[in-house]
């Protein structure tokens, strides 16, 4: 949170049309803090976009990636600070420190409702 790039990151709310842009800016910001964090988030959303259940993706990521827990704690702090409205409520339902799960839940909710997830799946095919 003390990094200027994170402080300047805009808030995320239920504006599903703007989420794709916010997601890219978030990846850029978190990648400047620690590059492996952006890689983990990219890997996480790729698996979600392929339609895999969130719990299975999270279990696989946690068991196979050394930096997962550290990243998860940091991402949770950023999401709590940057989320507003319904997005904040979704994140707050996740246990503290589970940033990977919070991001996955928020990402799936915002992309599924807007159809961005289906567009991403189509693009990959």
């Amino acid at each position: 949170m003390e990094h200027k790039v994170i402080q300047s990151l805009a808030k995320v709310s239920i504006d599903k049309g703007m989420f794709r842009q916010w997601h890219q800016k978030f990846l850029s910001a978190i990648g400047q803090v620690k590059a492996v964090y952006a890689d983990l988030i990219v890997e996480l959303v790729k698996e979600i976009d392929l339609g895999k259940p969130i719990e299975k993706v999270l279990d696989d990521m946690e068991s196979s990636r050394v930096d997962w827990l550290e990243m998860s704690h940091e991402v949770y702090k950023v999401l709590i600070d940057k989320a507003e409205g319904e997005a904040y409520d979704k994140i707050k339902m996740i246990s503290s420190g589970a940033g990977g799960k919070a991001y996955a839940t928020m990402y799936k909710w915002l992309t599924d409702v807007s159809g961005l997830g289906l567009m991403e799946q189509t693009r990959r095919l």
Side-chain angles (χ1 to χ4, degrees):
M1 287 300 301
E2 69 272 4
H3 296 276
K4 189 169 184 109
V5 69
I6 297 295
Q7 292 173 358
S8 66
L9 188 64
K11 301 274 186 182
V12 63
S13 64
I14 59 169
D15 185 359
K16 294 158 185 75
M18 295 299 293
F19 179 72
R20 173 81 60 191
Q21 181 181 11
W22 184 89
H23 170 70
Q24 292 302 319
K25 288 181 178 184
F26 174 77
L27 287 176
S28 176
I30 204 79
Q32 289 179 45
V33 172
K34 197 164 183 180
V36 71
Y37 291 176
D39 295 340
L40 289 169
I41 296 291
V42 167
E43 189 176 333
L44 174 69
V45 299
K46 278 182 185 177
E47 296 295 314
I48 291 170
D49 285 342
L50 292 173
K52 294 182 181 176
I54 290 177
E55 292 302 323
K56 175 159 180 25
V57 172
L58 292 171
D59 288 343
D60 293 346
M61 296 283 291
E62 190 172 326
S63 64
S64 66
R65 300 302 301 252
V66 181
D67 298 325
W68 180 258
L69 290 176
E70 180 185 340
M71 183 279 305
S72 194
H73 287 286
E74 295 298 323
V75 166
Y76 188 84
K77 293 173 193 173
V78 172
L79 290 178
I80 285 295
D81 183 59
K82 298 299 178 181
E84 293 180 333
E86 249 182 292
Y88 178 84
D89 294 339
K90 291 269 184 207
I91 293 165
K92 209 50 188 153
M93 291 188 318
I94 309 296
S95 61
S96 180
K101 183 174 184 177
Y103 197 85
T105 301
M106 183 179 72
Y107 180 85
K108 185 155 178 62
W109 173 64
L110 287 167
T111 58
D112 280 353
V113 173
S114 68
L116 291 176
L118 293 175
M119 287 177 12
E120 182 65 20
Q121 288 177 5
T122 303
R123 184 185 69 77
R124 289 177 192 215
L125 288 174

